[in-house]
Amino acid sequence: MEIFGKHILLKHRGCNLIDEPGKPIPPQVNIFVKVTKGCNAHCQFCSNAASPHPQSAFRLDKLSAVIFELHNRGIMLNRLNITGGEPAMVSPLVQQILQMMEQPEFSNIHMHLNTNGLLSQSQQLMTHSRWDSISMSLHHYQASALSQLYGCTITPDAFRFEGVDMQKVNVSCNLIRGYIDNAQEAHRMLDFALSLGVPRIGFVALMKLNQYCCDHFVDLEEIFWEKIPHVYFTNSMNRGAHCKCSNYLYNKNLKILEIYMRNYSDPTYCASSLVFDGQYLRQGFHQHNIIY
């Protein structure tokens, strides 16, 4: 299908459920809106680690034009993901996007925030009612370990989320050698997520995109999840050789935590993923093809 005269890849089938093929779905796409490359953390595994400055002026009018183009072409915008960098570094811009997305014609679009939740501006953004879901990057359960990983100071009130609907929040935890890299550490991370009051947590292996990621890579199978008490497999979904994820439940003291794991992912696979950086719309995260 084409938008702005350029061909794009769309998602036409749902994910395969174990060995059962995915069912046909309306053509749809997700947009990842990179509002900045700047971040308060300086994680060595991050693809933005070498980006010292926030990006140039953001074209809100162009983002609106992209959304209307998809609508006019009959393409479902499944999710609008606000990401970075750390979106809280440009909180006023994110507020402008949220205000734009409160227009009646955009009311059915799922709004998602990616944040590390460490800044006061981040926690303020998390309280906005327009978010349908929030992913919080949190790669350890101890503030001292997070300070090492992030290269920034973790304040004592970093995990006091007043006014935030924690049922919208999921924790995203990278498996990193020397940090969360075995069953005991993963178990502690599960308990920490429960203590925060979030309903779900995701464990993801690093993509080997730089030397740090190669040196600190931990495969999901190294964790031996079956050694963690009260962790139960529920299902798995995949898109063939491109990506696979598995789902589990952790049940402790009458509290249930949903667990998501990305078993593998092809970083060049970009069907259904559009990226808008404030200036240009592209297909996928690692491609230079400008659509608009």
Side-chain angles (χ1 to χ4, degrees):
M1 193 170 288
E2 290 189 351
I3 60 171
F4 302 112
K6 300 288 183 66
H7 179 74
I8 63 170
L9 300 175
L10 299 172
K11 191 173 182 179
H12 292 275
R13 300 188 73 88
C15 292
N16 304 326
L17 183 60
I18 307 180
D19 294 326
E20 183 180 340
K23 301 186 184 313
I25 57 175
Q28 57 188 256
V29 70
N30 296 320
I31 298 181
F32 294 82
V33 182
K34 302 193 73 170
V35 291
T36 181
K37 293 182 179 179
C39 186
N40 55 309
H42 305 281
C43 308
Q44 296 183 64
F45 54 80
C46 180
S47 60
N48 287 328
S51 302
H53 303 296
Q55 65 191 48
S56 56
F58 191 97
R59 292 280 306 278
L60 271 173
D61 61 325
K62 201 167 185 179
L63 175 60
S64 180
V66 168
I67 297 173
F68 277 113
E69 174 76 359
L70 292 171
H71 176 76
N72 293 336
R73 295 286 178 175
I75 301 170
M76 176 182 172
L77 175 49
N78 183 54
R79 177 178 292 198
L80 191 77
N81 300 275
I82 305 299
T83 184
E86 169 51 58
M89 298 290 286
V90 289
S91 182
L93 170 59
V94 178
Q95 293 285 359
Q96 287 181 291
I97 296 174
L98 286 170
Q99 185 176 7
M100 181 183 78
M101 297 306 296
E102 287 180 335
Q103 299 178 37
E105 57 266 42
F106 297 153
S107 62
N108 63 335
I109 298 174
H110 185 106
M111 289 290 293
H112 181 84
L113 171 68
N114 286 298
T115 180
N116 57 36
L118 297 178
L119 293 172
S120 58
Q121 305 98 293
S122 173
Q123 295 196 13
Q124 184 61 36
L125 277 179
M126 292 169 73
T127 65
H128 200 287
S129 60
R130 185 62 179 86
W131 303 119
D132 296 290
S133 60
I134 299 170
S135 284
M136 182 171 63
S137 299
L138 189 61
H139 309 304
H140 206 271
Y141 54 86
Q142 286 184 337
S144 58
L146 286 172
S147 293
Q148 292 176 344
L149 275 170
Y150 293 167
C152 64
T153 301
I154 309 299
T155 61
D157 61 347
F159 304 118
R160 297 174 185 167
F161 300 100
E162 297 181 7
V164 177
D165 183 356
M166 298 305 286
Q167 290 304 302
K168 294 181 178 181
V169 180
N170 68 273
V171 166
S172 178
C173 177
N174 284 340
L175 300 179
I176 303 172
R177 185 74 60 197
Y179 295 94
I180 306 298
D181 59 3
N182 58 60
Q184 185 179 35
E185 291 299 305
H187 194 178
R188 290 171 176 167
M189 191 68 201
L190 290 173
D191 286 341
F192 182 61
L194 271 182
S195 73
L196 290 178
V198 299
R200 63 195 68 85
I201 183 173
F203 290 98
V204 180
L206 296 173
M207 287 190 180
K208 298 180 181 180
L209 299 178
N210 60 37
Q211 194 59 49
Y212 182 94
C213 294
C214 292
D215 293 342
H216 293 79
F217 178 83
V218 178
D219 193 287
L220 280 164
E221 294 185 0
E222 293 183 54
I223 304 299
F224 299 105
W225 302 97
E226 67 276 8
K227 293 185 177 181
I228 303 177
H230 311 300
V231 170
Y232 307 99
F233 172 79
T234 55
N235 62 37
S236 67
M237 294 178 288
N238 69 84
R239 298 195 70 76
H242 296 296
C243 61
K244 177 183 177 181
C245 64
S246 301
N247 297 93
Y248 294 74
L249 287 178
Y250 178 54
N251 186 347
K252 182 177 181 181
N253 298 331
L254 301 180
K255 293 182 179 180
I256 295 178
L257 186 68
E258 298 176 16
I259 306 172
Y260 158 87
M261 299 181 193
R262 189 182 67 199
N263 300 72
Y264 59 80
S265 179
D266 178 0
T268 65
Y269 179 66
C270 60
S272 82
S273 295
L274 298 178
V275 178
F276 181 68
D277 63 5
Q279 294 291 321
Y280 299 105
L281 180 71
R282 295 178 170 87
Q283 176 107 54
F285 291 91
H286 303 282
Q287 311 231 0
H288 301 289
N289 53 317
I290 295 176
I291 298 169
Y292 174 58

